[in-house]
Amino acid sequence: MAQVNSPNDPLVGSSVRTASLASIKPQAVYDGGLGGKEIRLRIANGGAGQSGLVGAWADAFIKYCHGQGIDPFKVGWYLGDTTESLGFLAAGQVDIAVTYNKAAEEQAVKAKAAPTRKYGFRDHFYLVGPAADPAQLKACGDDVLAMFNRIVDQGNKDLVTPPTDREPVRFLSRFDKSATNIKESELFCKIGQVPWALAYSKWYHQYPRFPLQALKAASVLNEYTLTDRGIWLSSAQEVTSKLKIFAQGGDVDPNDPLLNPAHVLLGSKAKSEDQVIWEKFMTWVVDHDGGQKVIRDFKK
């Protein structure tokens, strides 16, 4: 059972992104249907929270703890991308962060902000765009770098000679320090491009919103963007029907550039009075019959 705060409309405002650390409030609160009164575990995450996976974890974990003799309690989900979630963790605003960037996570561990880091699950990035495919990405096969290069090339050409028979090529970037923003930046850099640098490329649309809102905007505006499978499956059919998946991460190659692994980090400033709860969660979340069963059974 959950109490959910509605996210901002995808095409207006972004006040959620500028909230101070001192004022963060849970985006949703879960009680496992047991009527707990107090939040005893605080989890920060972006996409997995929006897709419902964090809530599924929370409800299952609360029920597990109740079976272990622990009085009912609540779990709070705090909305934040990878950079924000790690910031919340370091500041002691949350106990757990579920994030998607290995380098940033390793720095948090090195700085002793997160003494424990465990592999939680795999998500997969999707490169999506208008079904009409104005950049002709389908000609690139499964080469995602070639696709990014075509977006750059055709986007620049469309600025010089605006097309009259189709929409110009544009790429929507969340531009928000999220793992998705870091990944797309990495892919642009691999082809020797930095469209965000001055003077920035006008086909590069900076749209700092959370993933559900960003995907909806790309659909409305007929733009290419990078998203992930969880968000794609959680989006309304009216959003995804206007878009096409041109590349997606797989599970065969651990070095697949579109693989999106999520790690669960325990903060060094986790509430000491709730130690029994977060210690159990860090064990349960990777247990085959615990958190991993929730992952296997989770569907949209």
PDB file of all heavy atoms in Angstrom, residues 119 122-127 142-145 183 186-187 190 226 229 247-261:
ATOM      1  N   TYR A 119      25.248  -5.305  -5.756  1.00  0.00           N
ATOM      2  CA  TYR A 119      24.620  -5.327  -7.071  1.00  0.00           C
ATOM      3  C   TYR A 119      23.155  -5.692  -6.895  1.00  0.00           C
ATOM      4  O   TYR A 119      22.827  -6.801  -6.476  1.00  0.00           O
ATOM      5  CB  TYR A 119      25.328  -6.360  -7.938  1.00  0.00           C
ATOM      6  CG  TYR A 119      25.137  -6.228  -9.437  1.00  0.00           C
ATOM      7  CD1 TYR A 119      26.078  -6.767 -10.313  1.00  0.00           C
ATOM      8  CD2 TYR A 119      24.032  -5.593  -9.992  1.00  0.00           C
ATOM      9  CE1 TYR A 119      25.935  -6.668 -11.698  1.00  0.00           C
ATOM     10  CE2 TYR A 119      23.868  -5.484 -11.352  1.00  0.00           C
ATOM     11  CZ  TYR A 119      24.814  -6.020 -12.212  1.00  0.00           C
ATOM     12  OH  TYR A 119      24.655  -5.919 -13.568  1.00  0.00           O
ATOM     13  N   ARG A 122      19.748  -5.431 -12.959  1.00  0.00           N
ATOM     14  CA  ARG A 122      20.147  -4.851 -14.238  1.00  0.00           C
ATOM     15  C   ARG A 122      18.947  -4.192 -14.891  1.00  0.00           C
ATOM     16  O   ARG A 122      17.899  -4.812 -15.045  1.00  0.00           O
ATOM     17  CB  ARG A 122      20.690  -5.916 -15.199  1.00  0.00           C
ATOM     18  CG  ARG A 122      22.002  -6.506 -14.820  1.00  0.00           C
ATOM     19  CD  ARG A 122      22.542  -7.387 -15.949  1.00  0.00           C
ATOM     20  NE  ARG A 122      21.622  -8.447 -16.331  1.00  0.00           N
ATOM     21  CZ  ARG A 122      21.543  -9.616 -15.719  1.00  0.00           C
ATOM     22  NH1 ARG A 122      22.329  -9.867 -14.683  1.00  0.00           N
ATOM     23  NH2 ARG A 122      20.695 -10.539 -16.127  1.00  0.00           N
ATOM     24  N   ASP A 123      19.099  -2.949 -15.288  1.00  0.00           N
ATOM     25  CA  ASP A 123      18.156  -2.331 -16.211  1.00  0.00           C
ATOM     26  C   ASP A 123      18.899  -2.181 -17.531  1.00  0.00           C
ATOM     27  O   ASP A 123      20.071  -2.585 -17.639  1.00  0.00           O
ATOM     28  CB  ASP A 123      17.665  -0.981 -15.690  1.00  0.00           C
ATOM     29  CG  ASP A 123      16.324  -0.568 -16.300  1.00  0.00           C
ATOM     30  OD1 ASP A 123      15.952  -1.131 -17.351  1.00  0.00           O
ATOM     31  OD2 ASP A 123      15.661   0.331 -15.753  1.00  0.00           O
ATOM     32  N   HIS A 124      18.239  -1.637 -18.536  1.00  0.00           N
ATOM     33  CA  HIS A 124      18.848  -1.555 -19.868  1.00  0.00           C
ATOM     34  C   HIS A 124      18.464  -0.244 -20.511  1.00  0.00           C
ATOM     35  O   HIS A 124      17.281   0.118 -20.550  1.00  0.00           O
ATOM     36  CB  HIS A 124      18.358  -2.728 -20.740  1.00  0.00           C
ATOM     37  CG  HIS A 124      18.533  -4.060 -20.085  1.00  0.00           C
ATOM     38  ND1 HIS A 124      17.704  -4.511 -19.076  1.00  0.00           N
ATOM     39  CD2 HIS A 124      19.456  -5.031 -20.285  1.00  0.00           C
ATOM     40  CE1 HIS A 124      18.103  -5.709 -18.682  1.00  0.00           C
ATOM     41  NE2 HIS A 124      19.163  -6.051 -19.400  1.00  0.00           N
ATOM     42  N   PHE A 125      19.447   0.484 -21.012  1.00  0.00           N
ATOM     43  CA  PHE A 125      19.169   1.732 -21.709  1.00  0.00           C
ATOM     44  C   PHE A 125      18.539   1.457 -23.063  1.00  0.00           C
ATOM     45  O   PHE A 125      18.851   0.453 -23.723  1.00  0.00           O
ATOM     46  CB  PHE A 125      20.453   2.541 -21.916  1.00  0.00           C
ATOM     47  CG  PHE A 125      20.970   3.195 -20.666  1.00  0.00           C
ATOM     48  CD1 PHE A 125      22.188   2.805 -20.121  1.00  0.00           C
ATOM     49  CD2 PHE A 125      20.258   4.217 -20.046  1.00  0.00           C
ATOM     50  CE1 PHE A 125      22.682   3.416 -18.978  1.00  0.00           C
ATOM     51  CE2 PHE A 125      20.745   4.829 -18.897  1.00  0.00           C
ATOM     52  CZ  PHE A 125      21.954   4.429 -18.361  1.00  0.00           C
ATOM     53  N   TYR A 126      17.659   2.361 -23.473  1.00  0.00           N
ATOM     54  CA  TYR A 126      17.053   2.349 -24.800  1.00  0.00           C
ATOM     55  C   TYR A 126      17.384   3.668 -25.491  1.00  0.00           C
ATOM     56  O   TYR A 126      17.216   4.736 -24.887  1.00  0.00           O
ATOM     57  CB  TYR A 126      15.524   2.278 -24.712  1.00  0.00           C
ATOM     58  CG  TYR A 126      14.903   0.940 -24.432  1.00  0.00           C
ATOM     59  CD1 TYR A 126      15.657  -0.183 -24.109  1.00  0.00           C
ATOM     60  CD2 TYR A 126      13.519   0.802 -24.471  1.00  0.00           C
ATOM     61  CE1 TYR A 126      15.047  -1.402 -23.861  1.00  0.00           C
ATOM     62  CE2 TYR A 126      12.907  -0.414 -24.212  1.00  0.00           C
ATOM     63  CZ  TYR A 126      13.670  -1.519 -23.907  1.00  0.00           C
ATOM     64  OH  TYR A 126      13.069  -2.725 -23.650  1.00  0.00           O
ATOM     65  N   LEU A 127      17.822   3.609 -26.737  1.00  0.00           N
ATOM     66  CA  LEU A 127      17.875   4.798 -27.578  1.00  0.00           C
ATOM     67  C   LEU A 127      16.585   4.797 -28.386  1.00  0.00           C
ATOM     68  O   LEU A 127      16.343   3.877 -29.173  1.00  0.00           O
ATOM     69  CB  LEU A 127      19.087   4.787 -28.504  1.00  0.00           C
ATOM     70  CG  LEU A 127      19.153   5.944 -29.516  1.00  0.00           C
ATOM     71  CD1 LEU A 127      19.170   7.300 -28.818  1.00  0.00           C
ATOM     72  CD2 LEU A 127      20.382   5.791 -30.428  1.00  0.00           C
ATOM     73  N   ASP A 142      23.004  -2.323 -35.461  1.00  0.00           N
ATOM     74  CA  ASP A 142      22.937  -2.253 -34.008  1.00  0.00           C
ATOM     75  C   ASP A 142      24.103  -1.463 -33.419  1.00  0.00           C
ATOM     76  O   ASP A 142      24.419  -1.587 -32.241  1.00  0.00           O
ATOM     77  CB  ASP A 142      22.893  -3.661 -33.403  1.00  0.00           C
ATOM     78  CG  ASP A 142      24.116  -4.497 -33.788  1.00  0.00           C
ATOM     79  OD1 ASP A 142      24.986  -3.993 -34.541  1.00  0.00           O
ATOM     80  OD2 ASP A 142      24.201  -5.660 -33.332  1.00  0.00           O
ATOM     81  N   ASP A 143      24.732  -0.619 -34.234  1.00  0.00           N
ATOM     82  CA  ASP A 143      25.887   0.177 -33.798  1.00  0.00           C
ATOM     83  C   ASP A 143      25.403   1.482 -33.178  1.00  0.00           C
ATOM     84  O   ASP A 143      25.091   2.446 -33.872  1.00  0.00           O
ATOM     85  CB  ASP A 143      26.791   0.460 -34.999  1.00  0.00           C
ATOM     86  CG  ASP A 143      28.101   1.141 -34.601  1.00  0.00           C
ATOM     87  OD1 ASP A 143      28.162   1.724 -33.493  1.00  0.00           O
ATOM     88  OD2 ASP A 143      29.042   1.105 -35.412  1.00  0.00           O
ATOM     89  N   VAL A 144      25.339   1.527 -31.830  1.00  0.00           N
ATOM     90  CA  VAL A 144      24.778   2.697 -31.158  1.00  0.00           C
ATOM     91  C   VAL A 144      25.645   3.936 -31.353  1.00  0.00           C
ATOM     92  O   VAL A 144      25.126   5.057 -31.433  1.00  0.00           O
ATOM     93  CB  VAL A 144      24.548   2.400 -29.660  1.00  0.00           C
ATOM     94  CG1 VAL A 144      25.872   2.239 -28.920  1.00  0.00           C
ATOM     95  CG2 VAL A 144      23.699   3.501 -29.018  1.00  0.00           C
ATOM     96  N   LEU A 145      26.963   3.768 -31.473  1.00  0.00           N
ATOM     97  CA  LEU A 145      27.825   4.938 -31.702  1.00  0.00           C
ATOM     98  C   LEU A 145      27.576   5.531 -33.080  1.00  0.00           C
ATOM     99  O   LEU A 145      27.564   6.766 -33.248  1.00  0.00           O
ATOM    100  CB  LEU A 145      29.290   4.563 -31.533  1.00  0.00           C
ATOM    101  CG  LEU A 145      29.725   4.169 -30.117  1.00  0.00           C
ATOM    102  CD1 LEU A 145      31.218   3.865 -30.083  1.00  0.00           C
ATOM    103  CD2 LEU A 145      29.392   5.277 -29.109  1.00  0.00           C
ATOM    104  N   LYS A 183      25.469   8.729 -19.151  1.00  0.00           N
ATOM    105  CA  LYS A 183      25.643   7.717 -20.202  1.00  0.00           C
ATOM    106  C   LYS A 183      25.570   8.347 -21.583  1.00  0.00           C
ATOM    107  O   LYS A 183      26.404   8.063 -22.444  1.00  0.00           O
ATOM    108  CB  LYS A 183      24.581   6.630 -20.055  1.00  0.00           C
ATOM    109  CG  LYS A 183      24.552   5.612 -21.195  1.00  0.00           C
ATOM    110  CD  LYS A 183      25.888   4.913 -21.421  1.00  0.00           C
ATOM    111  CE  LYS A 183      26.269   4.018 -20.275  1.00  0.00           C
ATOM    112  NZ  LYS A 183      27.497   3.223 -20.607  1.00  0.00           N
ATOM    113  N   GLU A 186      28.681  10.232 -22.245  1.00  0.00           N
ATOM    114  CA  GLU A 186      29.764   9.296 -22.533  1.00  0.00           C
ATOM    115  C   GLU A 186      29.721   8.843 -23.994  1.00  0.00           C
ATOM    116  O   GLU A 186      30.760   8.775 -24.672  1.00  0.00           O
ATOM    117  CB  GLU A 186      29.638   8.096 -21.596  1.00  0.00           C
ATOM    118  CG  GLU A 186      30.577   6.944 -21.859  1.00  0.00           C
ATOM    119  CD  GLU A 186      30.230   5.739 -21.008  1.00  0.00           C
ATOM    120  OE1 GLU A 186      30.030   5.915 -19.786  1.00  0.00           O
ATOM    121  OE2 GLU A 186      30.131   4.625 -21.565  1.00  0.00           O
ATOM    122  N   LEU A 187      28.519   8.549 -24.493  1.00  0.00           N
ATOM    123  CA  LEU A 187      28.387   8.093 -25.875  1.00  0.00           C
ATOM    124  C   LEU A 187      28.717   9.213 -26.864  1.00  0.00           C
ATOM    125  O   LEU A 187      29.370   8.969 -27.890  1.00  0.00           O
ATOM    126  CB  LEU A 187      26.969   7.559 -26.109  1.00  0.00           C
ATOM    127  CG  LEU A 187      26.632   6.281 -25.330  1.00  0.00           C
ATOM    128  CD1 LEU A 187      25.147   5.964 -25.433  1.00  0.00           C
ATOM    129  CD2 LEU A 187      27.462   5.105 -25.810  1.00  0.00           C
ATOM    130  N   LYS A 190      32.445   9.568 -26.968  1.00  0.00           N
ATOM    131  CA  LYS A 190      33.122   8.484 -27.681  1.00  0.00           C
ATOM    132  C   LYS A 190      33.174   8.712 -29.184  1.00  0.00           C
ATOM    133  O   LYS A 190      34.005   8.123 -29.875  1.00  0.00           O
ATOM    134  CB  LYS A 190      32.442   7.142 -27.368  1.00  0.00           C
ATOM    135  CG  LYS A 190      32.829   6.584 -26.004  1.00  0.00           C
ATOM    136  CD  LYS A 190      32.256   5.188 -25.799  1.00  0.00           C
ATOM    137  CE  LYS A 190      32.742   4.599 -24.485  1.00  0.00           C
ATOM    138  NZ  LYS A 190      32.215   3.225 -24.260  1.00  0.00           N
ATOM    139  N   LEU A 226      17.601   9.176 -24.752  1.00  0.00           N
ATOM    140  CA  LEU A 226      18.038   7.951 -24.091  1.00  0.00           C
ATOM    141  C   LEU A 226      17.143   7.742 -22.875  1.00  0.00           C
ATOM    142  O   LEU A 226      16.954   8.663 -22.067  1.00  0.00           O
ATOM    143  CB  LEU A 226      19.507   8.066 -23.665  1.00  0.00           C
ATOM    144  CG  LEU A 226      20.212   6.760 -23.305  1.00  0.00           C
ATOM    145  CD1 LEU A 226      20.373   5.879 -24.547  1.00  0.00           C
ATOM    146  CD2 LEU A 226      21.592   7.037 -22.698  1.00  0.00           C
ATOM    147  N   ARG A 229      14.551   0.646 -19.959  1.00  0.00           N
ATOM    148  CA  ARG A 229      13.452  -0.300 -20.150  1.00  0.00           C
ATOM    149  C   ARG A 229      12.350  -0.123 -19.114  1.00  0.00           C
ATOM    150  O   ARG A 229      11.158  -0.161 -19.435  1.00  0.00           O
ATOM    151  CB  ARG A 229      13.987  -1.736 -20.106  1.00  0.00           C
ATOM    152  CG  ARG A 229      12.919  -2.805 -20.346  1.00  0.00           C
ATOM    153  CD  ARG A 229      13.512  -4.203 -20.319  1.00  0.00           C
ATOM    154  NE  ARG A 229      14.453  -4.392 -21.413  1.00  0.00           N
ATOM    155  CZ  ARG A 229      15.277  -5.444 -21.517  1.00  0.00           C
ATOM    156  NH1 ARG A 229      15.263  -6.378 -20.571  1.00  0.00           N
ATOM    157  NH2 ARG A 229      16.105  -5.546 -22.532  1.00  0.00           N
ATOM    158  N   ALA A 247      17.920   1.100 -30.375  1.00  0.00           N
ATOM    159  CA  ALA A 247      18.999   0.310 -29.773  1.00  0.00           C
ATOM    160  C   ALA A 247      18.650   0.073 -28.319  1.00  0.00           C
ATOM    161  O   ALA A 247      18.039   0.928 -27.667  1.00  0.00           O
ATOM    162  CB  ALA A 247      20.337   1.036 -29.892  1.00  0.00           C
ATOM    163  N   GLN A 248      19.041  -1.088 -27.801  1.00  0.00           N
ATOM    164  CA  GLN A 248      18.769  -1.400 -26.405  1.00  0.00           C
ATOM    165  C   GLN A 248      19.844  -2.299 -25.840  1.00  0.00           C
ATOM    166  O   GLN A 248      20.480  -3.074 -26.555  1.00  0.00           O
ATOM    167  CB  GLN A 248      17.407  -2.052 -26.251  1.00  0.00           C
ATOM    168  CG  GLN A 248      17.218  -3.345 -27.024  1.00  0.00           C
ATOM    169  CD  GLN A 248      15.813  -3.909 -26.868  1.00  0.00           C
ATOM    170  OE1 GLN A 248      15.430  -4.380 -25.798  1.00  0.00           O
ATOM    171  NE2 GLN A 248      15.043  -3.858 -27.947  1.00  0.00           N
ATOM    172  N   GLY A 249      20.062  -2.188 -24.538  1.00  0.00           N
ATOM    173  CA  GLY A 249      21.061  -3.001 -23.869  1.00  0.00           C
ATOM    174  C   GLY A 249      20.629  -4.452 -23.776  1.00  0.00           C
ATOM    175  O   GLY A 249      19.436  -4.757 -23.741  1.00  0.00           O
ATOM    176  N   GLY A 250      21.599  -5.345 -23.729  1.00  0.00           N
ATOM    177  CA  GLY A 250      21.329  -6.776 -23.600  1.00  0.00           C
ATOM    178  C   GLY A 250      21.988  -7.338 -22.358  1.00  0.00           C
ATOM    179  O   GLY A 250      22.592  -6.620 -21.574  1.00  0.00           O
ATOM    180  N   ASP A 251      21.899  -8.662 -22.190  1.00  0.00           N
ATOM    181  CA  ASP A 251      22.439  -9.320 -21.002  1.00  0.00           C
ATOM    182  C   ASP A 251      23.607 -10.256 -21.311  1.00  0.00           C
ATOM    183  O   ASP A 251      24.117 -10.913 -20.419  1.00  0.00           O
ATOM    184  CB  ASP A 251      21.331 -10.121 -20.318  1.00  0.00           C
ATOM    185  CG  ASP A 251      20.261  -9.234 -19.721  1.00  0.00           C
ATOM    186  OD1 ASP A 251      20.629  -8.284 -19.014  1.00  0.00           O
ATOM    187  OD2 ASP A 251      19.069  -9.485 -19.971  1.00  0.00           O
ATOM    188  N   VAL A 252      24.035 -10.301 -22.557  1.00  0.00           N
ATOM    189  CA  VAL A 252      25.098 -11.233 -22.941  1.00  0.00           C
ATOM    190  C   VAL A 252      26.475 -10.661 -22.637  1.00  0.00           C
ATOM    191  O   VAL A 252      27.329 -11.319 -22.038  1.00  0.00           O
ATOM    192  CB  VAL A 252      24.986 -11.595 -24.440  1.00  0.00           C
ATOM    193  CG1 VAL A 252      26.151 -12.490 -24.852  1.00  0.00           C
ATOM    194  CG2 VAL A 252      23.655 -12.284 -24.717  1.00  0.00           C
ATOM    195  N   ASP A 253      26.694  -9.420 -23.033  1.00  0.00           N
ATOM    196  CA  ASP A 253      28.001  -8.781 -22.894  1.00  0.00           C
ATOM    197  C   ASP A 253      28.000  -7.848 -21.686  1.00  0.00           C
ATOM    198  O   ASP A 253      27.268  -6.842 -21.672  1.00  0.00           O
ATOM    199  CB  ASP A 253      28.322  -7.983 -24.163  1.00  0.00           C
ATOM    200  CG  ASP A 253      29.680  -7.291 -24.098  1.00  0.00           C
ATOM    201  OD1 ASP A 253      30.405  -7.483 -23.106  1.00  0.00           O
ATOM    202  OD2 ASP A 253      29.997  -6.561 -25.059  1.00  0.00           O
ATOM    203  N   PRO A 254      28.805  -8.144 -20.644  1.00  0.00           N
ATOM    204  CA  PRO A 254      28.836  -7.256 -19.474  1.00  0.00           C
ATOM    205  C   PRO A 254      29.367  -5.868 -19.794  1.00  0.00           C
ATOM    206  O   PRO A 254      29.192  -4.930 -19.011  1.00  0.00           O
ATOM    207  CB  PRO A 254      29.758  -7.996 -18.494  1.00  0.00           C
ATOM    208  CG  PRO A 254      30.589  -8.884 -19.351  1.00  0.00           C
ATOM    209  CD  PRO A 254      29.728  -9.285 -20.496  1.00  0.00           C
ATOM    210  N   ASN A 255      30.013  -5.719 -20.948  1.00  0.00           N
ATOM    211  CA  ASN A 255      30.535  -4.414 -21.361  1.00  0.00           C
ATOM    212  C   ASN A 255      29.629  -3.714 -22.374  1.00  0.00           C
ATOM    213  O   ASN A 255      30.028  -2.722 -22.986  1.00  0.00           O
ATOM    214  CB  ASN A 255      31.935  -4.583 -21.952  1.00  0.00           C
ATOM    215  CG  ASN A 255      32.935  -5.101 -20.933  1.00  0.00           C
ATOM    216  OD1 ASN A 255      32.998  -4.613 -19.802  1.00  0.00           O
ATOM    217  ND2 ASN A 255      33.702  -6.102 -21.314  1.00  0.00           N
ATOM    218  N   ASP A 256      28.425  -4.230 -22.555  1.00  0.00           N
ATOM    219  CA  ASP A 256      27.452  -3.593 -23.441  1.00  0.00           C
ATOM    220  C   ASP A 256      27.285  -2.134 -23.016  1.00  0.00           C
ATOM    221  O   ASP A 256      26.961  -1.856 -21.858  1.00  0.00           O
ATOM    222  CB  ASP A 256      26.116  -4.331 -23.325  1.00  0.00           C
ATOM    223  CG  ASP A 256      25.066  -3.844 -24.313  1.00  0.00           C
ATOM    224  OD1 ASP A 256      25.083  -2.656 -24.683  1.00  0.00           O
ATOM    225  OD2 ASP A 256      24.210  -4.655 -24.707  1.00  0.00           O
ATOM    226  N   PRO A 257      27.499  -1.168 -23.928  1.00  0.00           N
ATOM    227  CA  PRO A 257      27.408   0.240 -23.532  1.00  0.00           C
ATOM    228  C   PRO A 257      26.021   0.665 -23.085  1.00  0.00           C
ATOM    229  O   PRO A 257      25.873   1.700 -22.427  1.00  0.00           O
ATOM    230  CB  PRO A 257      27.823   0.992 -24.813  1.00  0.00           C
ATOM    231  CG  PRO A 257      27.567   0.032 -25.921  1.00  0.00           C
ATOM    232  CD  PRO A 257      27.854  -1.322 -25.356  1.00  0.00           C
ATOM    233  N   LEU A 258      24.991  -0.136 -23.420  1.00  0.00           N
ATOM    234  CA  LEU A 258      23.640   0.217 -23.011  1.00  0.00           C
ATOM    235  C   LEU A 258      23.120  -0.626 -21.850  1.00  0.00           C
ATOM    236  O   LEU A 258      21.947  -0.546 -21.500  1.00  0.00           O
ATOM    237  CB  LEU A 258      22.682   0.110 -24.205  1.00  0.00           C
ATOM    238  CG  LEU A 258      22.947   1.096 -25.345  1.00  0.00           C
ATOM    239  CD1 LEU A 258      21.896   0.939 -26.440  1.00  0.00           C
ATOM    240  CD2 LEU A 258      22.982   2.534 -24.846  1.00  0.00           C
ATOM    241  N   LEU A 259      23.991  -1.405 -21.234  1.00  0.00           N
ATOM    242  CA  LEU A 259      23.619  -2.099 -20.007  1.00  0.00           C
ATOM    243  C   LEU A 259      23.579  -1.073 -18.880  1.00  0.00           C
ATOM    244  O   LEU A 259      24.436  -0.186 -18.802  1.00  0.00           O
ATOM    245  CB  LEU A 259      24.630  -3.199 -19.685  1.00  0.00           C
ATOM    246  CG  LEU A 259      24.284  -4.155 -18.528  1.00  0.00           C
ATOM    247  CD1 LEU A 259      23.012  -4.931 -18.835  1.00  0.00           C
ATOM    248  CD2 LEU A 259      25.443  -5.108 -18.273  1.00  0.00           C
ATOM    249  N   ASN A 260      22.603  -1.193 -17.990  1.00  0.00           N
ATOM    250  CA  ASN A 260      22.391  -0.179 -16.951  1.00  0.00           C
ATOM    251  C   ASN A 260      22.278  -0.840 -15.574  1.00  0.00           C
ATOM    252  O   ASN A 260      21.184  -0.960 -15.018  1.00  0.00           O
ATOM    253  CB  ASN A 260      21.108   0.610 -17.273  1.00  0.00           C
ATOM    254  CG  ASN A 260      20.888   1.791 -16.361  1.00  0.00           C
ATOM    255  OD1 ASN A 260      21.830   2.324 -15.781  1.00  0.00           O
ATOM    256  ND2 ASN A 260      19.638   2.213 -16.232  1.00  0.00           N
ATOM    257  N   PRO A 261      23.405  -1.291 -15.006  1.00  0.00           N
ATOM    258  CA  PRO A 261      23.354  -1.979 -13.717  1.00  0.00           C
ATOM    259  C   PRO A 261      23.047  -1.028 -12.568  1.00  0.00           C
ATOM    260  O   PRO A 261      23.531   0.106 -12.535  1.00  0.00           O
ATOM    261  CB  PRO A 261      24.757  -2.577 -13.587  1.00  0.00           C
ATOM    262  CG  PRO A 261      25.622  -1.671 -14.397  1.00  0.00           C
ATOM    263  CD  PRO A 261      24.780  -1.207 -15.537  1.00  0.00           C
TER     264      PRO A 261
END
